[in-house]
Amino acid sequence: MKCTICERGCTIPEGNTGACGRYKNNGEKIIELFPDKYLTICPISIETMPVLHFHPRGKFLQISTTGCNLNCQGCFSTVIAREMVHTSKALRELSPQQVLDEAVKNDCIGIAFLLNDPLASFPTFLKVAATAKKSGLLVGCSSNAYFTETSLAEISRFLDFINVGVKGLSPRAYQNCGGSTVEPVLRNIKQLHENGVHVEVSCILQNNNMEEVLELAGRIANISPEIPLQLMRYIPLEGADPALEPSIREAESLYHRLRKYLNYVYLFNSPGTDYLHTFCPNCGEVIFKRDFYGPMGAKLLFSESGSTRKNVCPQCGWTIPIKALPAEIKYQEEDFQGGYPFTRALEMVEAILITIGVTDIKKVVQVWEDMLSHNGLPQLHRGIQNIDSYFEIINYFGRLIQMEDQAAELVAYMQEKISLINTSLPHVQKRPRVYYAMGKPPFCLMGKRFENQLVEAAGGFSINKEIEYSGRPGMKISVEQLNDLNPEVIFISAFLSSYVEDFYAECCKTGINVAAVKNKRIYTHPAPGWDFGSPRWILGLMHIANMLHPGIYHFDVWTEAKRFYKQFYGVDFSPAEVNRSFSKPSNKWKWRNN
């Protein structure tokens, strides 16, 4: 029997499942194996999906299940698409009416399916969508849109908006994910647009697919140049090759070429860029300003000059095709809620467990279940922001999975290095003023974040703590504000990073003339994952100490990295194989018992 839900078109023998493992041939029909089971249900603002031109600032109920119909390398949602088991007790079973009740209780104007693909839970999403529409709620999703013509006809009756993630234009881009070609996706984008569904398209930008992305922009423009294109600068995770990550500078350069095809292009995963703003396609005036809000996310700003609550250009009168004006009230997500921060939380848990020697994914799921079943996300968010409480989390996880000795070994190693730093701190005569940026120079990390705690533990003074914040993981500040702060040292985040050369050039271009720029004391970390999200931050702490006080600290961080990898991961340290993943120590790391 052939499955008609997605274009993979699995032929499923009786009693078996298709490639995604979510549907079974019971002898009479294809059935959904895990209906009405949700991993996340929480309110979000729509820009965190991200969707930018549909009810800006609108509050929607995010629903997510598990699984996916495709299997893409470097997926942002691997932890829930591939690693969280479908039968986990962390999943909540809710009827469509109960989902609707959650939306109403939280004053949401609609329901949005994201993080994993609704094609993995298609009958469940259909029922929820139909129930929501009967009650007057809006319905949308993020999807790879690998719908068949049959399934598209079923869902498009209920859809108001969709973010379509295009993998690329070459057959290789889809064959690498388990599909065949992009043509069904382009067919579906055209059909959805013609049916009156609000469509936004997102595409991953790698440094080897830029011409493909330009061709994609042309194909979208043939449907409508008004369709927004979201350019997702590639963040290599899981088994992805870190060499495929383009720089922010390269992504911004491509952005200008894309604007020749489409009226509205947005650059994500590039903190500090101006290209999350909506520019008037006629005169170039900024109509809506936005700031980076974590991976794949954005936040609409009204406080800055140039932002408006109207969709008409104040300079030339051009009308921006936005469905509904922005909501007056901004919704602020809770810790680790709102799009992809949830998956990052699960990755951080996984990171600790892998470092204490866990090689069986079932043990990771056990800890996830304990945390999610006891509303542990807020406690995790608080705990990972301080060194002592981070150690408490390591020990707690060790007890939970009966690996106390391994957890204690990791803590002992980390405390030994901190003790060495503390022993020499009395010799520090002056704590330099340190600014911690993410991506481009203006994007300032929140003062309470862990990176700034590392700065102060290494003998620096964090000037990030002097700034009032409203964003996550920080916010963009003005050149004037940064110049007034006048940091003596600048560190660039090891997650969404920039090359030091690009960062320095941007400082010179924009008039940032602080002491750190004049003296060229701008640093990034030797490898990703060294300052947040993983116990590998202990390597970053030693590196920060070396850079802040080279006359006092002389850690051989490369030797320490080799020791750390061998002792806690059982593998050799190879910088070329370390990507942006919090959890996996390298792109070659595999679960041994799965």
Side-chain angles (χ1 to χ4, degrees), residues 197-489:
V197 177
H198 175 79
V199 178
E200 301 192 16
V201 175
S202 61
C203 183
I204 297 292
L205 172 67
Q206 299 176 340
N207 59 19
N208 64 349
N209 74 343
M210 293 187 181
E211 294 304 317
E212 268 189 61
V213 174
L214 286 165
E215 185 181 349
L216 171 63
R219 297 285 294 270
I220 297 170
N222 288 335
I223 300 171
S224 172
E226 300 281 82
I227 293 176
L229 175 62
Q230 302 171 358
L231 195 62
M232 299 294 177
R233 189 174 69 89
Y234 188 55
I235 304 174
L237 301 171
E238 300 298 321
D241 182 358
L244 295 176
E245 179 182 3
S247 68
I248 295 177
R249 178 184 55 80
E250 290 169 326
E252 289 187 331
S253 177
L254 184 69
Y255 168 93
H256 292 287
R257 298 173 67 189
L258 292 167
R259 284 290 302 274
K260 296 177 182 178
Y261 295 91
L262 295 164
N263 287 341
Y264 307 101
V265 180
Y266 299 99
L267 176 58
F268 285 78
N269 300 337
S270 306
T273 186
D274 287 334
Y275 301 142
L276 278 174
H277 301 337
T278 298
F279 296 94
C280 175
N282 186 49
C283 71
E285 178 73 11
V286 176
I287 310 300
F288 292 104
K289 286 194 172 185
R290 298 181 187 84
D291 206 355
F292 171 81
Y293 196 68
M296 312 293 194
K299 273 290 184 181
L300 189 64
L301 303 173
F302 285 149
S303 58
E304 298 185 47
S305 61
S307 291
T308 176
R309 285 185 170 84
K310 297 180 180 179
N311 63 333
V312 177
C313 177
Q315 292 297 318
C316 70
W318 183 281
T319 299
I320 310 297
I322 289 181
K323 298 289 182 73
L325 295 179
E328 295 284 338
I329 300 174
K330 178 181 73 172
Y331 175 68
Q332 181 64 49
E333 289 85 357
E334 296 181 7
D335 297 334
F336 287 137
Q337 288 187 349
Y340 289 91
F342 176 79
T343 62
R344 303 285 73 77
L346 299 188
E347 271 199 359
M348 291 176 199
V349 172
E350 192 173 76
I352 292 173
L353 295 171
I354 289 175
T355 312
I356 65 175
V358 172
T359 57
D360 187 343
I361 187 60
K362 296 184 182 66
K363 287 187 179 290
V364 176
V365 173
Q366 177 187 343
V367 178
W368 284 342
E369 289 176 338
D370 178 82
M371 180 181 67
L372 297 175
S373 300
H374 295 92
N375 192 32
L377 284 178
Q379 184 176 353
L380 176 70
H381 191 271
R382 290 190 299 270
I384 62 170
Q385 305 297 349
N386 293 284
I387 291 175
D388 289 341
S389 54
Y390 197 103
F391 293 152
E392 292 173 5
I393 291 173
I394 294 174
N395 285 322
Y396 172 73
F397 288 169
R399 291 192 299 272
L400 196 62
I401 58 172
Q402 298 181 329
M403 295 182 69
E404 297 96 327
D405 291 345
Q406 293 90 330
E409 180 185 355
L410 174 60
V411 170
Y413 171 89
M414 299 172 82
Q415 288 178 331
E416 174 196 350
K417 303 306 174 188
I418 291 172
S419 178
L420 290 174
I421 292 173
N422 288 340
T423 299
S424 295
L425 275 180
H427 300 293
V428 172
Q429 296 180 355
K430 180 181 179 297
R431 289 178 174 257
R433 292 171 57 79
V434 181
Y435 173 68
Y436 224 113
M438 179 178 276
K440 299 185 73 172
F443 196 84
C444 179
L445 285 177
M446 293 178 66
K448 68 179 183 180
R449 276 183 62 99
F450 190 68
E451 294 92 331
N452 297 308
Q453 317 311 319
L454 295 182
V455 164
E456 300 208 326
F461 176 81
S462 172
I463 64 172
N464 297 58
K465 295 185 176 184
E466 298 179 351
I467 303 170
E468 293 185 10
Y469 290 85
S470 60
R472 184 179 71 183
M475 69 177 186
K476 189 175 178 181
I477 63 175
S478 68
V479 169
E480 293 75 18
Q481 190 173 5
L482 183 50
N483 281 337
D484 287 343
L485 290 167
N486 194 27
E488 299 164 90
V489 179

Side-chain angles (χ1 to χ4, degrees), residues 63-298:
I63 59 174
S64 311
T65 61
T66 56
C68 189
N69 62 311
L70 297 180
N71 186 12
C72 305
Q73 189 179 57
C75 174
F76 248 82
S77 294
T78 291
V79 289
I80 65 173
R82 296 292 160 196
E83 296 180 345
M84 174 63 82
V85 295
H86 309 313
T87 55
S88 169
K89 65 181 182 181
L91 274 64
R92 299 167 59 190
E93 184 168 355
L94 296 174
S95 68
Q97 184 59 49
Q98 287 174 312
V99 174
L100 178 65
D101 292 343
E102 283 287 319
V104 172
K105 182 179 73 175
N106 286 283
D107 297 319
C108 296
I109 63 173
I111 292 173
F113 193 120
L114 62 146
L115 293 191
N116 71 311
D117 203 286
L119 282 164
S121 304
F122 191 67
T124 287
F125 185 46
L126 271 178
K127 290 184 294 182
V128 170
T131 303
K133 293 301 290 182
K134 286 179 184 177
S135 299
L137 291 184
L138 299 166
V139 175
C141 64
S142 291
S143 174
N144 54 52
Y146 222 49
F147 301 100
T148 62
E149 292 182 88
T150 300
S151 60
L152 184 71
E154 289 183 279
I155 194 60
S156 60
R157 294 180 295 145
F158 306 117
L159 280 182
D160 295 291
F161 63 97
I162 186 171
N163 180 322
V164 176
V166 179
K167 309 303 176 185
L169 286 185
S170 69
R172 171 186 54 82
Y174 277 85
Q175 291 164 6
N176 287 344
C177 297
S180 54
T181 75
V182 70
E183 294 307 321
V185 179
L186 296 173
R187 176 199 71 206
N188 292 339
I189 291 173
K190 185 174 187 293
Q191 188 63 56
L192 286 161
H193 177 74
E194 291 176 351
N195 289 350
V197 177
H198 175 79
V199 178
E200 301 192 16
V201 175
S202 61
C203 183
I204 297 292
L205 172 67
Q206 299 176 340
N207 59 19
N208 64 349
N209 74 343
M210 293 187 181
E211 294 304 317
E212 268 189 61
V213 174
L214 286 165
E215 185 181 349
L216 171 63
R219 297 285 294 270
I220 297 170
N222 288 335
I223 300 171
S224 172
E226 300 281 82
I227 293 176
L229 175 62
Q230 302 171 358
L231 195 62
M232 299 294 177
R233 189 174 69 89
Y234 188 55
I235 304 174
L237 301 171
E238 300 298 321
D241 182 358
L244 295 176
E245 179 182 3
S247 68
I248 295 177
R249 178 184 55 80
E250 290 169 326
E252 289 187 331
S253 177
L254 184 69
Y255 168 93
H256 292 287
R257 298 173 67 189
L258 292 167
R259 284 290 302 274
K260 296 177 182 178
Y261 295 91
L262 295 164
N263 287 341
Y264 307 101
V265 180
Y266 299 99
L267 176 58
F268 285 78
N269 300 337
S270 306
T273 186
D274 287 334
Y275 301 142
L276 278 174
H277 301 337
T278 298
F279 296 94
C280 175
N282 186 49
C283 71
E285 178 73 11
V286 176
I287 310 300
F288 292 104
K289 286 194 172 185
R290 298 181 187 84
D291 206 355
F292 171 81
Y293 196 68
M296 312 293 194

Side-chain angles (χ1 to χ4, degrees), residues 516-532:
V517 174
K518 294 174 183 175
N519 298 319
K520 295 190 176 181
R521 296 195 69 187
I522 302 172
Y523 308 108
T524 190
H525 287 276
W530 279 29
D531 59 359
F532 183 71

